[in-house]
Amino acid sequence: MATDPVRNPSTRAEERYNEAHGRTRRVIERTVGLLKARFRCLHMTGGSLFYSPKKVCQIIVACCVLHNLALRRQVPFLQEDGPDCGVVAAVEPVDNDEEEAEEEDMHNRDSVIQQYFQ
């Protein structure tokens, strides 16, 4: 996938891409953990999101907006909730030819590296 790090980086640009990828991934994982802690619909104990990818994106954006409002109003997290909860968000599978999609992903990742990490 285009979002995967380069397995064996051979250039400084690929190393920089991997470093940025790692930093970004950690931020995203912490953010998702906070959202899951506040909204049960995003956490596996609250069920799964059995909607289209577009609808799931809308739900997540709504959760982000509500979370920011809760932070501004200092609404506490529930005691039993924690930011280290697991996530399960089921969405409708996308039909893609895996080899073709993987080749396109690699091409896109290489383009990102060339454009932003040289």
Side-chain angles (χ1 to χ4, degrees):
M1 275 180 76
T3 58
D4 290 339
V6 178
R7 287 185 194 257
N8 296 308
S10 59
T11 66
R12 181 64 187 133
E14 291 175 345
E15 289 172 0
R16 290 177 59 217
Y17 171 82
N18 281 357
E19 291 164 6
H21 181 276
R23 285 190 308 272
T24 303
R25 183 178 181 133
R26 288 188 292 277
V27 169
I28 296 299
E29 287 175 354
R30 282 192 307 270
T31 302
V32 170
L34 287 171
L35 290 173
K36 291 184 297 177
R38 193 175 291 274
F39 301 101
R40 279 282 161 236
C41 67
L42 302 178
H43 187 274
M44 66 184 189
T45 61
S48 297
L49 297 177
F50 294 107
Y51 301 102
S52 69
K54 182 178 179 180
K55 182 62 120 183
V56 170
C57 288
Q58 292 170 338
I59 291 168
I60 291 171
V61 168
C63 288
C64 290
V65 169
L66 292 171
H67 175 71
N68 287 338
L69 287 171
L71 288 177
R72 285 189 193 124
R73 294 177 185 214
Q74 299 177 339
V75 176
F77 286 90
L78 295 176
Q79 194 65 21
E80 66 270 11
D81 295 341
D84 57 344
C85 299
V87 66
V88 173
V91 295
E92 297 171 8
V94 178
D95 291 329
N96 279 340
D97 178 41
E98 270 189 50
E99 266 186 47
E100 185 177 310
E102 187 173 325
E103 187 175 313
E104 184 179 344
D105 288 345
M106 298 273 288
H107 174 73
N108 290 339
R109 182 186 65 191
D110 291 344
S111 294
V112 167
I113 292 171
Q114 291 296 319
Q115 187 172 356
Y116 297 105
F117 294 94
Q118 287 296 340

